[in-house]
């Protein structure tokens, strides 16, 4: 037989596009359209309904960037349509290729209730299943003219303060039509079969059988009367659609989903509307399709619906109760996991799962993080302690170098906890359920022979409207179809239960899930990152002192509502396109303002609690909220600090520069203002590599291949400029308590002023760097070449640290050329190590070189600032203050202590006398992460601790108040079957036994 495949395939594509699809909505009758432009920000629905509408015609331009246009749409169903299915087609001017990244609309009834959303693949509204004829239509469309910002070009459209006022869209269509059901079904038949056919091998008889059936169907279609001949065409396809799948076919659990970034190329306020639009579509689709299941993560987004769209929220609640609308994830938002602090990660689950329990009575079992940029090795333990059982991600498929070896596996964290994990082989979290994607999922699945199933999240995300009736039609046809995986729509937990049952002995992946992409997100938008770190620290302070005051001071009221509200705001801004710095200018401008507001509020809460604890008096008290004693002031207490130690001296250095000494360290700064020696007087060894200089600012070109704010590519290292030219150097402070040398440099269009300080009694060299940054597409680093033979470095992560090799033996190590650390990174050889500490920097890189003398130089660099142009062309422009410290001779324990000290400054005020800690621990390896009152307002005190050094620990937790019981709890403060917490003694001492990196939450019942 002659090969006529291409002819039939081409024929199908043209007939579908030009004849069959246009016939789905027939006999169009124009609706009357009026419009009103809302001034400024979006208005309440009632205001939009009552607005003065003016004339509007199809083809009219509308919508400046970030504007809202209200369209009033009226008309009547023709009488001769009685008994027909009638729909309106309301096309705002959509580009069908970009669902979620353009204009969107929400249709309201005249009474203000939501009907459904309008999106590129969902531009219809059902009027009647069987029209009576003459029905009146009166709808109001709230249309958002969001600019298209996906072309990766620098643009001022990313902020309403700088965007233009020219219309972005043209109204395309507003018609009443007859919905031709049989034609629509024919479209679905043909598309499913075509998509399946082209995935099959050309030698497969099944492919040719489908081809012949399609040819017969096209022959049956009268192109002048598609509605009248659609049924006959479908009859030609019935046989090939009825052929069952092979018994060994891959099984797909299809879960409706609409991944909605809580901010990205739109501001937070627009996400509130995107969420409402999507949810309205989903509950409508559920009304028509009881088999449809839709999973929605991010408690914050459901809370937005509750707050802003209460009527819609009640509909969502009903569907949740019915089992169709499924809350997943258990977190407040789909947060970043690399940079979020330990306690903040715990609160993501506390407030996320608590919302689902309080509002819906649902305990979510899975963690749903398809799009975050890599996953901390601390996550498995946090997942388990939240009461969750499963973990799902997709993003690791974006790794540039090493394909991840598993799709279903056990993920093991730094403490040894394992969580059952799935990584969907479909390689997208916005699947269209088309044949290409399903075939890819089956081919790509790496557990063949052990497992047989995978999960596919389907639906248009980011405001694209979620799953559509077309998606459900594809799922129905591919439920049991020869040549296709078997598709079943079901809840995520059903998939995980089956996947674990068939593959209990799945392989284990130990350690972080490092994304070999988007490494620049550890650095972009420094002020957003600084705001996050400072907010986490301030929340720790506020809760610690407020808990102490609530227990010890009669009449003091613990600020439950304020702290919860502030926590939720901080958690929201940890979303994986806000904290990583990959959102538009508007988002980060608002984030900076939000962090400033929270800072003042938290300082007020902290001061009020400290004043209550201190009482009236004139004694100067230093409050220490760090988890370790410092200067004689106990952790979590207040008192008069002890003498610092041997005074600091500063002398002129031979050959230029200065020498600082305090009896523990001797620091040399040369004539260029660079640190050329840090001598550990106690260990009698040099910290820096011979002939090198530390605190060396270096600048690189920064023009990645694609994702500007997200990525740095390894080739940036090929060009570097050392910033050694000096504008000025002076001794800014010289006294027994501290000595400071200030160095000023100019480079490009920027300046940097660095203050290098040595303090009495200190084992750290402290550096404050003020940068007035006005570079473009540049990358600023601070280098510390250490005379340390380190095979690996330790980087602080949540509740512990993670080790990474310094070598590049394999592609896996080489791909980690930029890494994330929290408050410190530590390099060590047996017997001696060095820590580099920071107060708000996350990005680092480590390289190693062997010198001619045989020694190894381990260079640790902090990534200070970037200047990408997209999506915010002004990223990091302006003034920054960055603090970091070098700690020679530091052990891991020293790094933990000094890292907390740098991030949790002392507070000084006057009072009646010393304040005893509310709680104390007798082992410095056991770190108190948080002290607070219980969420249920019982008055119980909750303390979260962890073993910080990677070893076992036995400690005693002592309360400065009567304790009736100590209960080991989960992150939601519920009793947990565990063995880490012993019974309290009559004096309030609670024995603790912790394994390496174990997190323990203790709930103390007060007498």
């Amino acid at each position: 037989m002659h090969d006529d495949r291409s002819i039939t395939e081409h024929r199908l594509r043209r007939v579908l596009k030009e004849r069959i699809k246009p016939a789905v909505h027939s006999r169009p009758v124009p609706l009357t359209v009026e419009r009103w432009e809302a001034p400024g920000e979006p208005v309440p629905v009632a205001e939009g309904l009552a607005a003065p509408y003016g004339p509007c015609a199809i083809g009219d331009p509308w919508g400046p960037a970030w504007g809202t246009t209200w369209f009033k749409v009226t008309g009547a169903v023709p009488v001769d349509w009685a008994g027909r299915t009638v729909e309106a087609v309301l096309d705002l001017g959509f580009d069908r290729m970009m669902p979620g990244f353009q204009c969107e609309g929400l249709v309201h009834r005249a009474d203000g209730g939501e009907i459904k959303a309008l999106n590129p693949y969902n531009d219809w509204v059902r009027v009647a299943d069987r029209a009576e004829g003459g029905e009146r239509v009166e709808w109001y469309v709230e249309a958002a003219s969001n600019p298209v910002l996906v072309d990766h070009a620098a643009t001022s459209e990313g902020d309403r303060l700088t965007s233009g006022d020219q219309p972005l869209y043209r109204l395309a269509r507003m018609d009443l039509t007859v919905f031709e059901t049989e034609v629509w079904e024919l479209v679905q038949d043909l598309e499913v079969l075509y998509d399946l056919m082209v995935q099959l091998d050309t030698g497969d008889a099944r492919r040719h059988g489908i081809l012949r059936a399609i040819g017969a169907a096209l022959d049956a279609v009268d192109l002048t009367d598609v509605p009248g001949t659609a049924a006959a065409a479908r009859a030609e396809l019935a046989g090939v659609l009825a052929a069952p799948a092979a018994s060994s076919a891959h099984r797909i659990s299809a879960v409706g989903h609409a991944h909605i970034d809580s901010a990205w190329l739109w501001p937070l306020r627009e996400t509130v509307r995107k969420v409402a639009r999507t949810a309205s579509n989903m509950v409508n689709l559920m009304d028509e399709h009881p088999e449809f299941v839709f999973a929605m993560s991010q408690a914050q987004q459901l809370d937005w619906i509750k707050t802003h769209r209460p009527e819609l929220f009640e509909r969502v609640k009903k569907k949740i109760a019915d089992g169709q609308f499924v809350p997943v994830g258990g977190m407040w938002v789909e947060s970043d996991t690399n940079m979020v602090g330990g306690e903040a990660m715990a609160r993501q689950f506390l407030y996320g799962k608590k919302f689902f329990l309080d509002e819906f009575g649902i305990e979510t079992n899975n963690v749903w993080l398809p799009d975050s940029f890599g996953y901390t090795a601390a996550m498995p333990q946090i997942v388990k302690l939240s009461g969750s059982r499963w973990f799902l991600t997709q993003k690791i498929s974006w790794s540039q170098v090493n394909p991840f070896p598993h799709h279903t596996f056990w993920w093991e964290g730094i403490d040894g906890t394992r969580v059952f994990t799935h990584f969907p082989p479909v390689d997208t979290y916005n699947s269209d359920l088309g044949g290409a994607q399903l075939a890819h999922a089956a081919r790509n699945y790496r557990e063949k022979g052990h497992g047989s199933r995978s999960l596919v999240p389907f639906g248009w995300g980011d405001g694209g409207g979620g799953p559509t009736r077309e998606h459900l039609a594809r799922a129905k046809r591919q439920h049991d179809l020869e040549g296709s995986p078997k598709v079943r729509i079901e809840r995520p937990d059903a998939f995980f239960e089956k996947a674990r049952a068939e593959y209990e002995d799945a392989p284990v992946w130990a350690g972080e899930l490092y994304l070999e992409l988007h490494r620049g997100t550890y650095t972009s938008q420094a002020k957003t990152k600084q705001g996050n770190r400072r907010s986490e620290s301030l929340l720790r302070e506020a809760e610690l002192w407020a808990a102490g005051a609530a227990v010890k001071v009669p009449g003091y009221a613990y600020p439950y509502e304020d702290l919860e509200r502030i926590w939720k705001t901080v958690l929201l801004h940890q979303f994986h396109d806000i904290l990583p710095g990959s959102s538009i200018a508007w988002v980060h401008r608002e984030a900076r303002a939000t962090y400033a507001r929270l800072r003042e509020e938290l300082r007020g809460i902290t001061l009020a609690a400290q004043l209550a604890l201190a009482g009236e008096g004139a004694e100067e008290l230093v409050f220490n909220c760090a988890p370790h004693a410092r200067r004689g002031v106990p952790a979590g207490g207040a008192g008069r600090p002890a003498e610092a130690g041997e005074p600091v001296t500063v002398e002129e250095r031979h050959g230029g520069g200065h020498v600082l000494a305090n009896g523990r360290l001797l620091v040399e700064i040369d004539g260029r203002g660079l640190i050329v020696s840090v001598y550990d007087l106690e260990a009698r060894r040099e910290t820096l590599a011979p002939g090198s200089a530390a605190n060396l600012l270096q600048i690189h070109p920064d023009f990645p291949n694609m994702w500007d704010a997200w990525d740095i590519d390894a080739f940036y290292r090929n060009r570097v400029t050392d910033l050694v030219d000096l504008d000025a150097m002076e001794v800014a402070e010289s006294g027994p308590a501290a000595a400071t040398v200030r160095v000023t440099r100019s480079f490009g269009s920027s300046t940097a002023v660095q203050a290098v300080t040595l303090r009495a009694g200190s084992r750290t060299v402290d550096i404050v760097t003020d940068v007035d940054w006005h570079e473009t597409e540049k990358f600023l680093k601070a280098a510390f070449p250490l005379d340390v033979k380190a095979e690996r470095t330790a980087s602080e992560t949540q509740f512990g640290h993670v080790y990474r090799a310094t070598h590049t033996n394999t592609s896996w190590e080489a791909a980690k050329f930029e890494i994330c650390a929290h408050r410190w990174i530590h390099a060590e050889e047996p017997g001696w190590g060095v820590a580099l500490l920071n107060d708000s920097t996350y990005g680092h890189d480590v390289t190693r070189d062997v010198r001619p003398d045989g020694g190894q130089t381990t260079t640790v660099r902090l990534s200070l600032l970037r200047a990408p142009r997209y999506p915010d062309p002004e990223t990091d422009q302006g003034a920054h203050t960055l603090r970091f410290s070098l700690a020679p001779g530091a052990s891991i324990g020293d790094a933990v202590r000094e890292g907390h000290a740098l991030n949790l400054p002392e507070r000084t005020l006057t009072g009646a006398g010393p304040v005893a800690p509310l709680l104390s621990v007798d082992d410095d390896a056991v770190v108190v992460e948080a002290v607070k009152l219980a969420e249920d307002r019982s008055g119980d005190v909750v303390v979260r601790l962890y073993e910080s050094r990677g070893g076992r620990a036995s400690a005693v937790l002592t309360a400065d108040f009567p304790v009736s019981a100590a209960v080991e709890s989960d992150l939601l403060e519920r009793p947990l079957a565990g063995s880490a917490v012993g019974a309290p003694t009559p004096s309030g001492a609670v024995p603790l036994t912790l394994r390496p990196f174990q997190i323990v939450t203790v709930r103390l019942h007060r007498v």
Side-chain angles (χ1 to χ4, degrees), residues 18 463 624 780 879-880 956 979:
E18 298 184 20
N624 174 22
L780 183 65
H880 301 267
V956 175
S979 59

mmCIF file of all heavy atoms in Angstrom, residues 18 463 624 780 879-880 956 979:
data_model
loop_
_atom_site.group_PDB
_atom_site.id
_atom_site.type_symbol
_atom_site.label_atom_id
_atom_site.label_comp_id
_atom_site.label_asym_id
_atom_site.label_seq_id
_atom_site.Cartn_x
_atom_site.Cartn_y
_atom_site.Cartn_z
ATOM 1 N N GLU A 18 -10.042 24.709 10.190
ATOM 2 C CA GLU A 18 -10.813 25.641 9.368
ATOM 3 C C GLU A 18 -12.299 25.312 9.267
ATOM 4 O O GLU A 18 -13.091 26.195 8.912
ATOM 5 C CB GLU A 18 -10.212 25.709 7.963
ATOM 6 C CG GLU A 18 -8.792 26.236 7.949
ATOM 7 C CD GLU A 18 -8.244 26.385 6.544
ATOM 8 O OE1 GLU A 18 -9.052 26.446 5.582
ATOM 9 O OE2 GLU A 18 -7.008 26.434 6.376
ATOM 10 N N GLY A 463 -3.246 31.404 36.191
ATOM 11 C CA GLY A 463 -4.335 32.230 35.699
ATOM 12 C C GLY A 463 -4.847 31.784 34.352
ATOM 13 O O GLY A 463 -5.717 32.441 33.772
ATOM 14 N N ASN A 624 19.646 39.043 75.614
ATOM 15 C CA ASN A 624 20.300 38.112 74.686
ATOM 16 C C ASN A 624 19.275 37.083 74.205
ATOM 17 O O ASN A 624 18.915 36.166 74.949
ATOM 18 C CB ASN A 624 21.470 37.417 75.385
ATOM 19 C CG ASN A 624 22.109 36.332 74.529
ATOM 20 O OD1 ASN A 624 21.981 36.344 73.300
ATOM 21 N ND2 ASN A 624 22.790 35.392 75.166
ATOM 22 N N LEU A 780 28.713 40.591 42.010
ATOM 23 C CA LEU A 780 29.696 41.011 43.013
ATOM 24 C C LEU A 780 29.898 39.902 44.035
ATOM 25 O O LEU A 780 28.931 39.414 44.629
ATOM 26 C CB LEU A 780 29.234 42.284 43.710
ATOM 27 C CG LEU A 780 30.201 42.880 44.746
ATOM 28 C CD1 LEU A 780 31.495 43.360 44.072
ATOM 29 C CD2 LEU A 780 29.537 44.023 45.510
ATOM 30 N N ALA A 879 21.469 51.471 47.485
ATOM 31 C CA ALA A 879 22.332 51.275 48.648
ATOM 32 C C ALA A 879 22.015 49.979 49.382
ATOM 33 O O ALA A 879 20.847 49.627 49.584
ATOM 34 C CB ALA A 879 22.188 52.454 49.609
ATOM 35 N N HIS A 880 23.078 49.282 49.787
ATOM 36 C CA HIS A 880 22.952 48.033 50.544
ATOM 37 C C HIS A 880 23.963 48.027 51.679
ATOM 38 O O HIS A 880 25.079 48.537 51.535
ATOM 39 C CB HIS A 880 23.236 46.821 49.655
ATOM 40 C CG HIS A 880 22.330 46.702 48.473
ATOM 41 N ND1 HIS A 880 21.178 45.967 48.497
ATOM 42 C CD2 HIS A 880 22.411 47.234 47.228
ATOM 43 C CE1 HIS A 880 20.577 46.047 47.323
ATOM 44 N NE2 HIS A 880 21.309 46.817 46.526
ATOM 45 N N VAL A 956 19.462 18.659 79.313
ATOM 46 C CA VAL A 956 18.361 18.912 80.233
ATOM 47 C C VAL A 956 17.774 20.275 79.908
ATOM 48 O O VAL A 956 18.496 21.281 79.853
ATOM 49 C CB VAL A 956 18.834 18.871 81.700
ATOM 50 C CG1 VAL A 956 17.690 19.267 82.634
ATOM 51 C CG2 VAL A 956 19.349 17.482 82.049
ATOM 52 N N SER A 979 10.526 9.360 71.816
ATOM 53 C CA SER A 979 11.312 8.991 72.999
ATOM 54 C C SER A 979 12.355 10.028 73.354
ATOM 55 O O SER A 979 13.236 9.772 74.165
ATOM 56 C CB SER A 979 12.003 7.647 72.742
ATOM 57 O OG SER A 979 12.845 7.737 71.599
#
